[in-house]
Amino acid sequence: MHDIRAIRKDPAEFDKHLQRRGENAMSHIILATDEVRRAKILSAETAQAEQNKAAAEIGKAKAHGDHARFEELRSVVANKKEETAREQREAKKLDQELTHMLACIPNLPANDVPDGRDETDNVEIRRWGTPPEFDFEPLEHYQIAGVANFMDFETAAKISGSRFVMLTGAIARIHRALAQFMLDTHINKNKLLEVNPPVLVRDEAMYGTDKLPKFGDDSYTTTNGWWLVPTAEVPLTYIPADSILDEEDLPLRFTAHTNCFRSEAGAAGKDTTGMLRQHQFEKVEMVSVTSVAESEAEQQRMLRCAEDLMEQLRLPYRTVILCTADLGFGARRTYDIEAWLPGQNAYREISSISTTGDFQARRMNARYRPEKGGKPQFVHTLNGSGLAVGRSLIAVLEIGQKSDGSVRLPDVLQPYLGGMNTLNSDGKLIFI
């Protein structure tokens, strides 16, 4: 949500950054609505004051036996009461229109976000690791012999339809091991607080985390009005909603491993094979709630937390900063971590680390009291994948594949796999 006072103060600056995202200038429409709304509020307040003044004089007229003046004042009170109610209704309607307008406008990009027309204008920051060279044609994850019989798309489609998968046997165990490894690292090394949140949330939580009203079609809702979370960002970020925190208690740092649900309404025809893009998938999420001063450093810390997981898993990756055209609706700045997938001969997103500034906090009224005093300020909220579990599974399988259909697994997963380090071509976990 945008601050109407900031738009009033510098509409040209607001429009400049909005246009960087490829959006039309909006300040003139916003301010026109705001001006009429404020005029209605003033009109209601004026009518209320005149009503109160007339009401106070009624008693005097009655005491002096001035019947004509008494009736005149009664008429004034009735008319002003009606006028006040009418102006208040119109002001409330305009306030709702303005709020909806502001809620549908994306966040403004940070100054250091590169301008761009599409994802090809994202800027690479760094790379880690070297993509492996194979003496055979590397396969995609679902084609590998040790994987194929345990990554079942046909049964999942029979049960649920397209874009679902059923993992069984060792593949299900490796998937679970990845999630456990990520959680343990975040809890023990990165000092995040583990949360097991609801994955059914109310409208308020989706709205407060900028998923409504604009992206309702991208998520699933139940018949009684709950939403299935598109990411654990929603319940984790909404924890401090409608509260005032003490700055000394910040930052709040959360992590959660949940199922996520997305309709993929805008992704028709994309990544239809394999498990890269699913309606249901698992992710280990990171969320931070910070003061304004800590926000920038916190995004870099979160980015390193995610990159460290990639390095422990020995997965070659590159980190990019998204350009204005590829930036998510609520983000001021986003870094993507892209894993090298030999089967696709390409880097593909495995984590996004975003800062929203106070964009979400304004929507959900989350504030903090500065240690040095002064009025409460809106917190800053940040979120990131640490990591997408299914996509990490894809990368692990494709990076570790061997010509015989087996897969060498990352050493850090051994404690979670009973000491085993290899998936053989029959889909069994063994130690070599």
Side-chain angles (χ1 to χ4, degrees):
M1 182 75 74
H2 294 283
D3 182 358
I4 186 62
R5 292 170 297 181
I7 301 173
R8 290 186 201 128
K9 182 178 179 180
D10 197 342
E13 184 72 4
F14 177 81
D15 284 339
K16 181 182 78 172
H17 287 290
L18 197 58
Q19 289 172 315
R20 289 180 62 207
R21 297 193 59 142
E23 301 284 337
N24 295 325
M26 289 287 293
S27 65
H28 61 294
I29 300 173
I30 295 167
L31 294 178
T33 304
D34 182 48
E35 185 177 353
V36 177
R37 178 187 69 92
R38 295 170 79 188
K40 290 293 181 182
I41 292 172
L42 179 59
S43 179
E45 290 173 347
T46 300
Q48 179 72 64
E50 292 172 351
Q51 176 188 336
N52 293 342
K53 181 180 178 181
E57 293 179 359
I58 284 179
K60 296 178 183 178
K62 187 174 183 180
H64 288 89
D66 190 341
H67 184 72
R69 180 61 175 161
F70 175 79
E71 291 299 326
E72 178 187 354
L73 290 170
R74 283 186 61 189
S75 178
V76 169
V77 168
N79 290 337
K80 290 301 176 181
K81 183 177 181 180
E82 182 180 340
E83 181 181 350
T84 299
R86 182 178 66 251
E87 296 298 288
Q88 287 176 337
R89 285 195 303 270
E90 293 181 8
K92 183 178 180 180
K93 180 180 178 182
L94 287 164
D95 186 66
Q96 291 171 340
E97 289 179 9
L98 182 61
T99 299
H100 180 76
M101 192 183 304
L102 293 173
C104 292
I105 298 172
N107 204 350
L108 302 182
N111 290 330
D112 62 345
V113 171
D115 292 336
R117 294 169 296 178
D118 55 41
E119 63 183 14
T120 61
D121 291 321
N122 295 341
V123 176
E124 184 174 311
I125 303 298
R126 55 182 164 267
R127 292 192 183 199
W128 183 91
T130 302
E133 294 184 4
F134 298 89
D135 57 6
F136 61 96
E137 187 69 26
L139 302 174
E140 293 201 57
H141 54 286
Y142 57 91
Q143 299 171 322
I144 299 169
V147 177
N149 292 331
F150 304 94
M151 190 173 283
D152 190 345
F153 297 97
E154 291 185 3
T155 301
K158 179 177 69 175
I159 297 170
S160 302
S162 63
R163 292 189 188 267
F164 290 91
V165 64
M166 180 176 289
L167 305 180
T168 58
I171 303 303
R173 186 174 181 182
I174 297 168
H175 185 267
R176 173 164 50 89
L178 281 164
Q180 189 64 58
F181 158 69
M182 294 170 194
L183 273 180
D184 284 353
T185 301
H186 287 317
I187 296 163
N188 298 324
K189 183 177 181 179
N190 301 328
K191 306 305 179 185
L192 308 186
L193 176 66
E194 183 180 7
V195 181
N196 187 352
V199 295
L200 289 171
V201 298
R202 297 162 55 185
D203 287 355
E204 292 88 344
M206 289 286 281
Y207 178 85
T209 53
D210 67 57
K211 306 302 177 283
L212 293 178
K214 196 170 179 65
F215 298 105
D217 289 343
D218 293 326
S219 299
Y220 294 107
T221 185
T222 66
T223 55
N224 58 352
W226 280 320
W227 294 86
L228 281 75
V229 296
T231 162
E233 171 202 344
V234 174
L236 294 183
T237 304
Y238 202 68
I239 288 173
D242 295 317
S243 62
I244 302 178
L245 309 169
D246 290 324
E247 185 174 6
E248 63 185 19
D249 295 328
L250 299 177
L252 304 179
R253 292 168 174 160
F254 304 119
T255 187
H257 168 222
T258 67
N259 273 298
C260 307
F261 306 89
R262 296 183 188 173
S263 69
E264 296 291 350
K270 293 182 181 179
D271 302 313
T272 54
T273 57
M275 62 175 292
L276 194 67
R277 193 181 296 273
Q278 301 277 286
H279 290 309
Q280 175 185 322
F281 58 94
E282 293 179 35
K283 188 149 66 83
V284 174
E285 187 74 2
M286 301 180 289
V287 162
S288 290
V289 179
T290 77
S291 66
V292 175
E294 294 176 314
S295 179
E296 294 297 299
E298 188 68 11
Q299 187 178 23
Q300 296 302 317
R301 189 200 66 81
M302 293 174 71
L303 179 59
R304 274 307 302 155
C305 288
E307 289 176 333
D308 175 63
L309 291 171
M310 297 290 290
E311 292 165 17
Q312 289 191 65
L313 291 167
R314 312 304 295 173
L315 299 177
Y317 69 86
R318 69 174 195 152
T319 300
V320 301
I321 183 171
L322 300 193
C323 71
T324 50
D326 204 25
L327 208 56
F329 178 82
R332 293 190 70 241
R333 183 194 301 110
T334 296
Y335 295 100
D336 271 6
I337 300 173
E338 299 176 346
W340 176 254
L341 300 185
Q344 293 193 14
N345 194 39
Y347 286 98
R348 298 301 302 267
E349 177 200 337
I350 202 167
S351 173
S352 288
I353 310 295
S354 299
T355 177
T356 75
D358 62 7
F359 188 77
Q360 293 177 326
R362 289 181 180 279
R363 299 168 77 106
M364 61 184 189
N365 193 29
R367 295 175 291 166
Y368 70 96
R369 297 181 185 89
E371 286 183 327
K372 296 180 179 180
K375 66 179 182 179
Q377 298 183 42
F378 287 105
V379 299
H380 279 199
T381 58
L382 304 95
N383 63 81
S385 313
L387 305 160
V389 183
R391 292 194 175 199
S392 298
L393 176 65
I394 292 171
V396 162
L397 296 174
E398 293 193 11
I399 289 290
Q401 64 181 298
K402 304 298 181 183
S403 60
D404 64 356
S406 65
V407 176
R408 181 64 164 84
L409 300 169
D411 291 343
V412 292
L413 295 185
Q414 278 188 259
Y416 304 97
L417 298 173
M420 305 303 174
N421 65 2
T422 300
L423 178 75
N424 71 14
S425 58
D426 293 326
K428 304 292 185 182
L429 288 170
I430 61 173
F431 177 80
I432 296 179

